[in-house]
Amino acid sequence: MAEITNPSSRPRVLSGMRPTGKLHLGNYMGALANWVKLQNDEVAQYECYFFIADWHALTTDYADTSQVAPNTLEVMLDYLAAGLDPERSVLFLQSRILQHAELSLLLGMITPLGWLERVPSYKEQQENLAGKDLTTYGFLGYPLLMASDILLYQPQFVPVGHDQTAHVELTREVARRFNQFYKLGGREVLPEPKVLLTPSPKLPGTDGRKMSKSYGNTIQMTDPEPVVRQKLKTMVTDPARVRRTDKGDPDKCPVGDLHKVFSTPETIAKVYEGCRMAGIGCIECKGWAADGLVKIMQPIQDRRAKFTESQAREILEEGSRRGCIRAAQTMEQVHAAMRMTLTTEAAR
Ligand code: SF4
């Protein structure tokens, strides 16, 4: 596999996901599909780094770590299934690159506590996961670990949806603070990454709420066609359409939202017309939605079937080796800027 040569000549992007188990269509449409587009963008020629944030899983699941490694493999297989290509992107595992921990520790020295306490997800997650004790140092510090994940690779862009921009903003603040304290030959070492806002379409789960593993309402990327059809059959619809003869509105129906993402313009037109005039039944409409989903999912599942777990493991190891090269370059600059080395000019 090619080494990272002349890495500064292409705009670098980096993003990652926690290994929470098999990924669902919300993960695919909100992140993976965008990453694949960036990877394959022949004009921008991004240098892409995508990783699995297994240490982040420990911030909430520290009491039972038994699923972190198996989930990591599942996520890696889903990355490959979505079309991430180890020949075009560096696909790596956070915990294989110890510099993530080192940079997090160093940035922790300069980050005011208040910055971490005010990250919106800190309070939200504590409330959402009330059954777990999240009054831990690791949980408070996870946005800083996230900042380190990013800054270690000095990317120009971090592709995220609207809901994650606060984390990138904190990363920018931390980089700014580091650069104020430490410079290398008068130059800044940790460039502030920019948010690359990627489309994250509204994707409801089967109960009409946002598709999320914690709600148990997901359609997984690996769900076989009969499972997809069955899940859609039980999906909630426009509450105004109780009987077949009641008129409905696809804009008030979660199935309508799925159509907007997965169906052809012709099908969507049929849905609007049929639903508003009570000319179609919901079962028929859900069947069309399932057709659209299956069409998108089939090539993904075909690709996944081409990889074994052992290949996924090897790809992750090789990507981590490549990621480590970039991480080591950054840390060399960080050490020199902080004068934490006895061997460079900067130390004198
Ligand atoms: S016809 Fe389709 S869009 Fe209209 S309420 Fe039924 S499932 Fe929803």
Side-chain angles (χ1 to χ4, degrees):
M1 198 170 288
E3 289 294 341
I4 303 163
T5 51
N6 193 17
S8 59
S9 62
R10 295 160 57 198
R12 191 174 305 132
V13 300
L14 172 132
S15 201
M17 267 189 217
R18 280 163 54 124
T20 50
K22 287 183 174 174
L23 299 179
H24 54 75
L25 287 181
N27 302 126
Y28 177 71
M29 294 307 297
L32 281 179
N34 294 318
W35 297 359
V36 172
K37 270 191 212 133
L38 294 172
Q39 168 194 269
N40 296 340
D41 188 329
E42 296 296 344
V43 178
Q45 299 255 325
Y46 292 112
E47 185 189 351
C48 294
Y49 285 73
F50 299 116
F51 70 103
I52 300 176
D54 56 342
W55 278 340
H56 282 284
L58 304 181
T59 59
T60 51
D61 298 337
Y62 56 84
D64 177 6
T65 55
S66 62
Q67 294 311 301
V68 177
N71 285 349
T72 295
L73 267 189
E74 291 292 350
V75 170
M76 186 59 197
L77 284 165
D78 280 335
Y79 277 12
L80 296 167
L84 289 182
D85 175 357
E87 296 293 327
R88 308 188 81 175
S89 296
V90 181
L91 307 176
F92 67 93
L93 182 60
Q94 181 189 36
S95 65
R96 282 285 185 282
I97 302 179
L98 300 182
Q99 287 92 338
H100 286 253
E102 187 190 3
L103 186 58
S104 180
L105 180 141
L106 294 176
L107 295 179
M109 301 299 170
I110 62 166
T111 303
L113 211 46
W115 288 14
L116 299 175
E117 286 166 337
R118 71 161 199 246
V119 172
S121 57
Y122 178 61
K123 287 259 152 41
E124 273 166 34
Q125 285 268 67
Q126 282 189 327
E127 283 161 19
N128 290 346
L129 302 174
K132 287 185 182 171
D133 179 4
L134 295 182
T135 56
T136 57
Y137 171 66
F139 185 68
L140 176 67
Y142 93 87
L144 196 55
L145 181 56
M146 209 178 270
S148 307
D149 297 337
I150 297 170
L151 296 173
L152 197 49
Y153 299 88
Q154 301 172 323
Q156 278 87 344
F157 300 108
V158 182
V160 290
H162 272 290
D163 51 342
Q164 291 159 319
T165 52
H167 286 126
V168 182
E169 196 40 56
L170 177 77
T171 300
R172 288 166 56 83
E173 277 181 276
V174 171
R176 216 172 297 144
R177 191 163 163 90
F178 181 94
N179 292 331
Q180 274 166 6
F181 285 127
Y182 318 112
K183 288 200 169 43
L184 185 57
R187 133 187 116 71
E188 295 182 347
V189 166
L190 299 178
E192 290 177 42
K194 292 192 183 71
V195 164
L196 188 64
L197 261 191
T198 49
S200 48
K202 185 178 171 194
L203 204 72
T206 48
D207 60 359
R209 291 184 289 177
K210 182 182 174 186
M211 191 179 288
S212 162
K213 198 176 176 212
S214 47
Y215 295 147
N217 64 0
T218 62
I219 298 169
Q220 293 184 342
M221 288 166 64
T222 46
D223 278 344
E225 180 171 347
V227 174
V228 174
R229 293 195 181 275
Q230 185 53 37
K231 283 185 176 176
L232 277 190
K233 265 187 199 152
T234 62
M235 190 156 181
V236 297
T237 57
D238 177 357
R241 234 191 140 193
V242 181
R243 286 174 295 271
R244 168 74 172 73
T245 48
D246 293 332
K247 291 179 181 172
D249 183 353
D251 289 334
K252 293 181 183 152
C253 175
V255 180
D257 289 331
L258 285 187
H259 275 296
K260 286 173 209 161
V261 178
F262 295 104
S263 295
T264 61
E266 295 75 35
T267 303
I268 293 172
K270 272 198 307 185
V271 168
Y272 271 91
E273 162 86 19
C275 180
R276 286 178 170 162
M277 304 306 290
I280 55 169
C282 289
I283 296 286
E284 189 179 14
C285 178
K286 287 173 169 182
W288 296 341
D291 293 343
L293 261 71
V294 167
K295 204 168 162 202
I296 301 268
M297 292 168 75
Q298 196 57 56
I300 293 174
Q301 295 182 355
D302 290 346
R303 237 183 336 255
R304 198 185 211 265
K306 288 186 190 145
F307 293 95
T308 62
E309 286 197 353
S310 121
Q311 283 171 320
R313 223 176 270 120
E314 275 169 32
I315 289 169
L316 211 42
E317 288 297 343
E318 170 61 13
S320 301
R321 192 190 66 75
R322 295 173 71 201
C324 211
I325 296 171
R326 156 76 20 219
Q329 286 168 351
T330 302
M331 287 314 295
E332 211 173 289
Q333 295 169 13
V334 165
H335 294 154
M338 294 181 75
R339 298 171 179 255
M340 295 292 289
T341 169
L342 301 177
T343 57
T344 69
E345 286 297 316
R348 294 197 197 112

